[in-house]
């Protein structure tokens, strides 16, 4: 009589014939091995399919980031086009397009980092960002699209209108400004960042989101809100500060002190009351003599701030490094050796921050194409980025616009930079040793 027992969830027959028993075990093991091989193949195939899917998704996101970046630059260029009248330019829209392009660039870098991590750790699951947008119009900036951030400015203007209604007051200039100040600086708690160290304080959407930003961005918000209320705000650079005020025939009203501060001081911050600032010397009469900034000028100031911020962050490990340092070094050198500005002498900078500075410089050059100093700085950033061909091109153009003494400083540097470009091309072709120079 056959006897059955359980063994690892499989029934093993113990009979009087040992051969039958061994045959059964062999057949069972063969079956289990075949099942294991099949399961392993299925698992490997599934992993490969998932990996391919992740790669395809990543490639799709990379393409979207590139398209959004190009679209944002195109929209920005259209917004500030010299074919448009200055009054028709939207400061908010132009600055949001700047933010969108930079965010798309950083998103592209994050995606590339994620792909590299996935390739290096194939057995590890890398969680990709859930991306449910595929265009500039849908791209979120701190959770809101460009149109939603523009609507946020509409909402602030409606809050000001509600504040005026609650006070049961009319639309006198001073009363409207007081209501704007209450909404912006009291109810919403906007404040100026004294020192630009955080890039978030240099983008409009981040300032609207956090309530903290640079003086120029708070001025833009003030201008945009008042524009929605039918009130024209103008501005001018005074020393290191950018000041704004309402267009009025009676500017002395702005300097009347109530509750310890003038309306002009509340609008523009502490710089107006700081004796070390040129803004502290302003009066109603002197205000009328200031040169009014155009909207393109205001956008240019915001871009210049971005260049300074990102360059500072890019060169953080090289304290005190200036864009023009190599120019003076080569100009004052007593020899013409190429190694004065060789690859090994170029400081290592943070590539993402350097690229963001270059992008801001490109936009600013669109606004100020004949600014030789700006083009010089742009060429030097390209040099630090090791884009020698582009650097030679920009610096050569700069020499055509620069004063004679500046062109003389640039000339030897550009000549040596041109040799560096030729040497790089020589080595890229597989040649060893230095480039022979006749």
């Amino acid at each position: 009589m056959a006897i059955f027992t359980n063994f690892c969830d499989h029934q093993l027959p113990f009979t009087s014939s040992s051969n039958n028993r061994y045959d059964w075990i062999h057949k069972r093991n063969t079956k289990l091995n075949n099942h294991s091989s099949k399961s392993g193949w299925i698992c490997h195939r599934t992993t490969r399919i998932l990996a391919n899917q992740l790669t395809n998704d990543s490639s799709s996101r990379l393409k979207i980031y590139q398209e959004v970046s190009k679209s944002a630059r195109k929209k920005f260029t259209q917004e500030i086009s010299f074919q448009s009248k200055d009054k028709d330019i939207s400061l908010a829209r132009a600055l949001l397009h700047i933010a969108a392009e930079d965010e798309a660039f950083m998103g592209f870098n994050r995606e590339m980092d994620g792909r590299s991590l996935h390739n290096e750790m194939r057995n590890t699951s890398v969680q990709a960002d859930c991306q449910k947008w595929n265009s500039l119009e849908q791209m979120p900036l701190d959770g809101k699209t460009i149109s939603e951030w523009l609507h946020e400015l509409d909402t602030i203007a409606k809050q000001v209108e509600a504040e005026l209604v609650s006070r049961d007051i009319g639309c006198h200039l001073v009363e409207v400004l007081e209501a704007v100040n209450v909404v912006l600086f009291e109810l919403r708690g906007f404040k100026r960042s004294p020192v630009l160290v955080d890039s978030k304080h240099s983008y409009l959407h981040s300032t609207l989101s956090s309530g903290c930003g640079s003086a120029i961005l708070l001025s833009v918000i003030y201008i945009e809100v008042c524009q929605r209320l039918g009130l024209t705000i103008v501005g001018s650079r005074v020393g290191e500060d950018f000041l704004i005020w309402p267009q009025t025939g009676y500017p002395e009203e702005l300097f009347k002190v109530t509750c310890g501060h003038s309306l002009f001081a509340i609008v523009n911050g502490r710089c107006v009351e700081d004796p070390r600032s040129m803004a502290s010397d302003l009066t109603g009469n002197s205000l009328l003599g200031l040169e009014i900034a155009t909207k393109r000028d205001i956008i240019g100031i915001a871009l210049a701030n971005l260049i300074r911020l990102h360059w500072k962050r890019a060169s953080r490990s090289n304290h005190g490094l200036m864009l023009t340092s190599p120019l003076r070094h080569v100009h004052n050198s007593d020899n013409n050796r190429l190694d004065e500005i060789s690859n090994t002498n170029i400081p290592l900078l943070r590539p993402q921050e350097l690229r963001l500075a270059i992008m801001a410089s490109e936009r600013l050059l669109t606004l100020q194409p004949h600014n030789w100093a700006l083009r010089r700085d742009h060429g030097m950033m390209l040099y630090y980025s090791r884009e020698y061909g582009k650097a030679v091109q920009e610096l050569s153009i700069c020499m055509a616009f620069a004063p004679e003494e500046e062109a003389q400083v640039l000339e030897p540097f550009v000549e040596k930079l041109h040799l560096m470009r030729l040497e790089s091309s020589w080595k890229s072709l597989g040649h060893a040793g230095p480039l022979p120079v006749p």
Side-chain angles (χ1 to χ4, degrees):
M1 183 178 76
I3 301 175
F4 296 90
T5 185
N6 290 332
F7 182 74
C8 294
D9 297 327
H10 292 273
Q11 291 184 330
L12 175 64
F14 289 91
T15 64
S16 56
S17 173
S18 60
N19 290 334
N20 291 340
R21 179 185 176 207
Y22 292 139
D23 288 344
W24 187 92
I25 292 174
H26 176 71
K27 290 178 181 178
R28 187 206 64 171
N29 288 342
T30 300
K31 183 177 180 181
L32 288 175
N33 288 337
N34 290 339
H35 177 73
S36 177
S37 298
K38 185 176 181 180
S39 298
W41 178 80
I42 293 174
C43 181
H44 175 72
R45 185 170 182 270
T46 302
T47 301
R48 186 173 61 185
I49 292 173
L50 289 174
N52 289 337
Q53 182 64 40
L54 282 173
T55 301
N56 292 336
D57 290 345
S58 177
S59 298
S60 176
R61 286 192 292 270
L62 289 174
K63 185 177 180 181
I64 290 173
Y65 281 127
Q66 288 177 317
E67 290 176 350
V68 166
S69 181
K70 291 179 182 178
S71 180
R73 177 65 68 90
K74 182 179 179 180
K75 294 282 187 181
F76 169 79
T77 304
Q78 290 173 344
E79 188 68 43
I80 56 92
S81 170
F82 287 100
Q83 296 178 354
S84 305
K85 294 182 179 179
D86 193 75
K87 65 181 182 63
D88 296 329
I89 295 176
S90 169
L91 293 173
R93 189 175 289 109
L95 295 180
L96 288 171
H97 285 144
I98 290 172
E101 183 184 356
D102 285 0
E103 181 57 40
F105 168 73
M106 291 185 285
F108 180 91
N109 284 351
R110 287 193 297 269
E111 194 64 39
M112 290 295 291
D113 290 343
R115 174 183 281 196
S116 298
L117 182 61
H118 173 70
N119 291 337
E120 293 171 3
M121 307 172 64
R122 290 186 178 276
N123 296 326
T124 304
S125 175
V126 179
Q127 185 67 35
D129 293 335
C130 182
Q131 181 173 301
K132 297 181 180 179
W133 53 271
N134 56 16
S135 68
L136 173 63
E137 290 72 23
Q138 298 173 340
M139 177 182 176
L141 297 168
D142 279 357
K144 293 182 180 181
T145 63
I146 289 177
S147 61
E148 287 172 337
W149 282 120
L150 292 173
H151 180 69
E152 181 70 12
L153 291 168
D154 297 337
T155 301
I156 296 175
K158 290 178 181 178
Q159 279 186 277
V160 175
E161 292 174 346
E163 177 69 20
L164 289 169
V165 171
S166 67
R167 295 183 178 192
D168 192 25
I169 58 179
C171 294
H172 188 271
L173 173 63
V174 174
E175 293 168 337
V176 173
L177 291 178
E178 288 175 347
V180 173
N181 292 339
V182 168
V183 171
L184 289 180
F185 304 121
E186 295 181 22
L187 299 182
R188 289 200 168 234
F190 279 102
K191 58 183 179 181
R192 294 169 178 81
S193 176
V195 181
L196 290 180
V197 293
D198 190 341
S199 60
K200 289 185 177 181
H201 297 161
S202 298
Y203 291 100
L204 182 60
H205 70 284
S206 297
T207 300
L208 286 169
S209 176
S210 66
C212 185
S214 64
I216 190 65
L217 290 183
L218 287 185
S219 295
V220 167
I221 293 173
Y222 208 101
I223 291 169
E224 288 283 330
V225 170
C226 288
Q227 180 178 307
R228 285 160 171 76
L229 297 169
L231 184 61
T232 301
I233 300 292
V234 296
S236 179
R237 181 184 284 279
V238 179
E240 294 297 319
D241 302 303
F242 183 79
L243 307 177
I244 58 173
W245 64 92
Q247 202 169 36
T248 174
Y250 304 97
E252 59 273 5
E253 287 185 301
L254 305 175
F255 291 88
K256 291 180 179 179
V257 177
T258 56
C259 300
H261 301 281
S262 68
L263 197 59
F264 190 73
I266 295 174
V267 171
N268 291 289
R270 297 177 181 176
C271 65
V272 174
E273 298 172 339
D274 186 349
R276 296 170 298 179
S277 170
M278 292 177 62
S280 63
D281 297 328
L282 289 175
T283 63
N285 289 331
S286 60
L287 203 63
L288 295 174
L290 295 178
E291 183 179 354
I292 303 300
T294 65
K295 289 185 176 181
R296 291 184 179 86
D297 292 335
I298 295 172
I299 295 170
I301 293 172
L303 285 170
N305 286 348
L306 281 177
I307 294 172
R308 284 192 293 269
L309 171 69
H310 289 304
W311 168 254
K312 184 177 180 180
R313 290 166 64 90
S315 60
R316 181 177 295 176
S317 60
N318 300 273
H319 183 69
L321 179 65
M322 297 178 63
L323 279 169
T324 57
S325 296
L327 295 178
R328 305 297 172 182
H329 181 69
V330 172
H331 180 68
N332 296 330
S333 177
D334 293 331
N335 56 66
N336 292 319
R337 292 184 304 142
L338 178 62
D339 59 3
E340 289 290 342
I341 56 168
S342 66
N343 281 316
T344 57
N345 289 337
I346 300 178
L348 292 177
L349 305 179
R350 295 183 176 185
Q352 177 168 285
E353 296 293 342
L354 179 57
R355 178 51 52 183
L356 287 168
I358 291 173
M359 290 163 60
S361 181
E362 289 171 347
R363 301 186 198 103
L364 189 50
L365 277 171
T366 304
L367 284 166
Q368 304 173 15
H370 301 300
N371 186 331
W372 70 267
L374 174 61
R375 195 169 292 277
R376 177 201 61 195
D377 292 349
H378 182 67
M380 293 307 299
M381 282 189 281
L382 291 170
Y383 157 73
Y384 282 110
S385 183
R386 292 171 168 78
E387 299 176 64
Y388 304 130
K390 293 181 179 179
V392 168
Q393 180 180 352
E394 291 298 328
L395 292 175
S396 297
I397 295 173
C398 171
M399 289 171 61
F401 294 101
E404 184 177 355
E405 60 274 15
E406 293 293 339
Q408 290 175 353
V409 172
L410 282 166
E411 186 175 3
F413 181 84
V414 172
E415 289 176 354
K416 294 186 179 184
L417 196 57
H418 180 63
L419 289 177
M420 286 181 63
R421 184 184 65 165
L422 293 176
E423 186 177 50
S424 297
S425 300
W426 174 262
K427 291 181 178 179
S428 68
L429 294 175
H431 298 291
L435 175 69
V437 180

